[in-house]
Amino acid sequence: MNEEITNTTNGQLSQQFKTLEQYLSSRIIGQTDLVHKILIALLADGHLLVEGAPGLAKTRAIKELSEVVEGDFQRIQFTPDLLPADLTGTEIYRPQDASFTFQKGPLFHNLVLADEINRAPAKVQSALLEAMAERQISVGNNSFELPPLFLVMATQNPIEQEGTYPLPEAQLDRFLMHIEVGYPDNAAESAILALNRKEALEENKPSISELSQESLFAARKEVVSIYMAKEVEEYLVQLILATRHPEKYDSKLAQFIEYGASPRATIALDRCARANAWLSGRDYVTPGDIQTVLFDTLRHRIILSYQAEAEGVNSNQVIEQLIQLVPAP
């Protein structure tokens, strides 16, 4: 496979990203939804929280992306003994001239994998929070800007909870999307075995030309300028407002939601819906685009009540009810 991604604009950029999506899907088998949502985050200039059992190609996904997008990649393994300076960097003393020089940490990269983010203590999580929200690092009295292309993909293992530090709601809200990754089906499992054998024999070296940052930033401008009808925008807003005032739609639903989504969720839903429409080759947003990304943009922003937990109701079920209750145009 040898496709080319060049620095072009307008409609050709959408086709280039489609080629990129097809290529990544051939390298990350059985996780087409994860690949699609990663590209949405890349276009929407946001960060990802990916949750799934070990061995489901979460790390592989971001590594494969880093090989076809212009920029550098850094993996950080989060552990309980990690310090904020291990992420941000620290000032190094230079005895030859009795001065201090700042040595940049691993966050000063374009694509960052925060592996098992919930294993690090609150101080480390807050350091990452500033980087994600402000796109800068503060060390002492100085602040250092991060590169224009900066994407954090954090992973969580839902199975092991011993020795973990749950992410606070304020930090969860900084993630553009929270993606849940499941197991592949039978056909995908067989394809994974075949790909693994080819890799062992070094027979799987398909190449694809690197996507430049210039093309990526041009694509982001196209995504923001996509047309959204007033009725569709109102539908988007009503979905968010329904999480804050669910009693207007259903009294039972109101008992399940403790706190609704913030305006940051409205912005995230808007940008992700536009990116989904653009990746689909359309220059307008439909209600279907909003529903496609609704679960990933809201599941970590809706805080459920004790009654919901007691009755075994999760955020996905609440969002499903919202789709049914809020009328689409």
Side-chain angles (χ1 to χ4, degrees):
M1 181 177 181
N2 193 1
E3 280 90 5
E4 183 178 3
I5 294 181
T6 55
N7 295 330
T8 55
T9 56
N10 302 324
Q12 294 182 1
L13 279 173
S14 179
Q15 182 57 44
Q16 292 168 2
F17 267 80
K18 204 67 181 174
T19 300
L20 177 60
E21 184 172 0
Q22 293 170 357
Y23 170 78
L24 290 174
S25 295
S26 70
R27 305 287 297 163
I28 310 158
I29 298 174
Q31 301 294 354
T32 54
D33 186 66
L34 174 61
V35 170
H36 187 71
K37 299 298 172 55
I38 287 177
L39 292 182
I40 287 179
L42 193 65
L43 288 167
D45 193 17
H47 308 289
L48 290 167
L49 177 62
V50 182
E51 186 170 350
L56 295 181
K58 301 185 296 294
T59 300
R60 181 185 178 97
I62 190 71
K63 288 182 68 176
E64 289 288 347
L65 178 68
S66 69
E67 293 179 2
V68 294
V69 174
E70 180 187 6
D72 45 19
F73 168 73
Q74 181 68 49
R75 177 182 182 273
I76 309 171
Q77 181 64 52
F78 279 60
T79 57
D81 60 347
L82 207 64
L83 298 175
D86 295 327
L87 301 183
T88 61
T90 187
E91 292 186 332
I92 305 298
Y93 179 69
R94 294 168 53 89
Q96 56 267 38
D97 55 6
S99 65
F100 286 90
T101 303
F102 178 67
Q103 180 173 320
K104 294 181 178 180
L107 285 183
F108 286 88
H109 289 77
N110 302 112
L111 302 175
V112 177
L113 171 63
D115 210 4
E116 296 188 283
I117 185 176
N118 55 334
R119 291 199 177 278
K123 272 190 174 182
V124 177
Q125 292 179 3
S126 64
L128 181 63
L129 173 62
E130 181 192 7
M132 291 167 51
E134 308 298 334
R135 303 298 176 97
Q136 69 175 22
I137 296 296
S138 296
V139 178
N141 296 325
N142 299 316
S143 295
F144 303 89
E145 290 188 3
L146 293 168
L149 172 57
F150 178 65
L151 183 147
V152 173
M153 176 175 147
T155 66
Q156 282 192 146
N157 179 356
I159 300 175
E160 299 176 5
Q161 298 300 325
E162 185 176 350
T164 61
Y165 302 82
L167 298 177
E169 285 75 13
Q171 183 160 348
L172 285 172
D173 201 27
R174 259 63 175 192
F175 286 101
L176 181 76
M177 291 190 288
H178 176 193
I179 303 172
E180 294 179 343
V181 181
Y183 289 106
D185 57 22
N186 291 351
E189 201 79 21
S190 298
I192 289 171
L193 287 176
L195 179 61
N196 182 261
R197 286 192 292 266
K198 288 182 179 180
E199 288 180 339
L201 297 172
E202 297 185 350
E203 293 178 355
N204 68 315
K205 294 296 181 182
S207 61
I208 183 170
S209 297
E210 192 177 67
L211 176 67
S212 69
Q213 292 190 25
E214 180 184 355
S215 293
L216 173 57
F217 296 147
R220 286 179 175 177
K221 290 182 179 179
E222 287 192 16
V223 168
V224 173
S225 63
I226 278 186
Y227 174 73
M228 181 182 290
K230 198 68 178 176
E231 297 81 5
V232 177
E233 182 177 307
E234 181 63 23
Y235 174 60
L236 184 153
V237 172
Q238 288 304 317
L239 282 169
I240 301 297
L241 293 180
T243 68
R244 305 175 194 169
H245 306 288
E247 66 279 357
K248 294 182 179 180
Y249 295 90
D250 185 79
S251 58
K252 185 67 174 178
L253 181 63
Q255 298 175 14
F256 293 152
I257 301 177
E258 188 75 23
Y259 294 100
S262 70
R264 192 179 282 117
T266 311
I267 297 171
L269 186 56
D270 174 76
R271 301 189 73 171
C272 290
R274 291 174 186 272
N276 187 74
W278 189 84
L279 284 173
S280 301
R282 284 181 277 103
D283 59 357
Y284 60 93
V285 180
T286 68
D289 293 314
I290 295 173
Q291 294 173 3
T292 297
V293 298
L294 186 64
F295 289 88
D296 301 298
T297 53
L298 286 190
R299 68 164 52 98
H300 57 302
R301 292 185 164 101
I302 297 177
I303 301 177
L304 302 181
S305 65
Y306 175 78
Q307 182 173 344
E309 296 180 6
E311 296 187 20
V313 176
N314 58 38
S315 56
N316 289 337
Q317 293 171 312
V318 169
I319 296 169
E320 186 66 46
Q321 290 187 48
L322 289 174
I323 294 177
Q324 296 175 3
L325 292 170
V326 179

